[in-house]
């Protein structure tokens, strides 16, 4: 694929043409369900997470390219599917357990917004969070007040993890977090996201 990047030189504006290799591409006619099937279902992301691994879905691109729309749609589908996937996984991997398959996994969610050098917990608006920095050897350390926000970045990392017991509760948490995001109008979108959001689903097994 080719990416056309506006640039400038001493002689004036120009466009750089940069080639990139990709596994596949989705066209404008592709649906969110198709994206979900290709990026989440086929690679077995949910089974990987339920098995103790880590899965990540990341959207990166310019303003107005559809990142928030795509990720929000995937969040809705994952919210709907994660509990049935957890029950199916438990039935397949713990067939002799006295615990019912639907009760094997505990699901939790945290969501926080990154804007500039600040992070805000979208599920706990009253949280003050924790500011962190790195010491000289790269170890993460917690900074106690007083300190300079500018010096240490003011990054809040103590996002609240909310336990959810069904798909409806999870969908409500996602919707609540989305309502707390900061948006503003652009030429392409009246409610364009002005920040980045990290959504974290935790799946823990009692077996």
């Amino acid at each position: 694929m080719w990416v056309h990047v506006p640039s400038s030189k001493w002689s004036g504006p120009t466009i750089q043409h940069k080639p990139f290799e990709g596994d596949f591409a989705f066209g404008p006619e592709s649906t969110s369900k198709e994206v979900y099937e290709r990026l989440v279902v086929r690679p077995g992301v949910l089974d990987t997470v339920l098995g103790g691994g880590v899965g990540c879905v990341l959207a990166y691109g310019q303003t107005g390219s559809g990142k928030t729309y795509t990720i929000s749609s995937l969040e809705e589908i994952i919210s709907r599917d994660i509990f049935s996937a957890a029950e199916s996984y438990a039935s397949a991997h713990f067939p002799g357990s006295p615990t019912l398959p639907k009760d094997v996994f505990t699901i939790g969610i945290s969501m926080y917004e990154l804007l500039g050098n600040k992070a805000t917990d979208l599920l706990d608006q009253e949280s003050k969070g924790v500011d962190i920095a790195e010491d000289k050897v790269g170890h993460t350390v917690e900074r106690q007040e007083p300190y300079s926000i500018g010096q240490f970045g003011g990054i809040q990392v103590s996002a609240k993890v909310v336990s959810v017991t069904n798909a409806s509760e999870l969908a409500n948490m996602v919707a609540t977090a989305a309502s707390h995001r900061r948006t503003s109008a652009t030429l392409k979108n009246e409610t364009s996201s002005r920040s980045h959001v990290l959504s974290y689903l935790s799946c823990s097994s009692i077996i």
Side-chain angles (χ1 to χ4, degrees):
M1 67 182 70
W2 287 83
V3 176
H4 309 291
V5 184
S7 183
S8 61
K9 294 183 177 180
W10 64 270
S11 56
T14 184
I15 295 181
Q16 299 180 12
H17 308 287
K18 298 184 178 182
F20 292 89
E21 292 187 4
D23 296 322
F24 49 87
F26 297 104
E29 73 286 348
S30 299
T31 65
S32 297
K33 184 177 180 180
E34 291 172 342
V35 175
Y36 175 73
E37 288 287 334
R38 188 64 178 82
L39 297 183
V40 179
V41 176
R42 292 188 190 180
V45 172
L46 295 185
D47 279 353
T48 297
V49 171
L50 293 168
V54 176
C56 176
V57 179
L58 173 70
Y60 177 81
Q62 68 183 44
T63 297
S65 59
K67 301 183 300 297
T68 298
Y69 176 84
T70 300
I71 291 296
S72 297
S73 298
L74 296 182
E75 286 174 340
E76 291 178 5
I77 301 174
I78 291 173
S79 297
R80 181 196 67 203
D81 287 359
I82 185 64
F83 287 93
S84 58
E87 186 171 347
S88 297
Y89 187 95
S91 297
H93 291 81
F94 312 115
S97 172
T99 304
L100 294 176
K102 67 181 182 64
D103 297 326
V104 168
F105 286 96
T106 299
I107 309 296
I109 182 173
S110 64
M111 297 182 69
Y112 51 101
E113 177 183 55
L114 304 178
L115 181 61
N117 64 349
K118 291 291 184 71
T120 303
D121 190 337
L122 294 175
L123 296 178
D124 187 3
Q125 293 290 284
E126 297 181 357
S127 172
K128 294 182 179 180
V130 176
D131 287 82
I132 61 171
E134 289 185 351
D135 61 19
K136 292 182 179 180
V137 293
H139 295 150
T140 300
V141 294
E142 182 176 336
R143 307 301 303 191
Q144 302 294 334
E145 292 188 3
Y147 56 82
S148 167
I149 292 294
Q151 181 179 357
F152 296 114
I155 302 173
Q156 299 179 12
V157 296
S158 57
K160 181 179 181 180
V161 178
V162 180
S163 295
V164 288
T165 59
N166 56 59
S168 178
E169 286 184 6
L170 180 53
N172 286 338
M173 288 295 101
V174 172
T176 296
S179 70
H180 293 155
R181 288 195 68 179
R182 278 164 280 193
T183 62
S184 63
T186 66
L187 293 177
K188 297 191 66 175
N189 192 340
E190 292 184 358
T191 56
S192 178
S193 302
R194 298 292 85 202
S195 61
H196 303 284
V197 166
L198 276 72
S199 303
Y200 171 73
L201 277 180
S202 63
C203 304
S204 56
S205 168
I206 64 173
I207 298 178

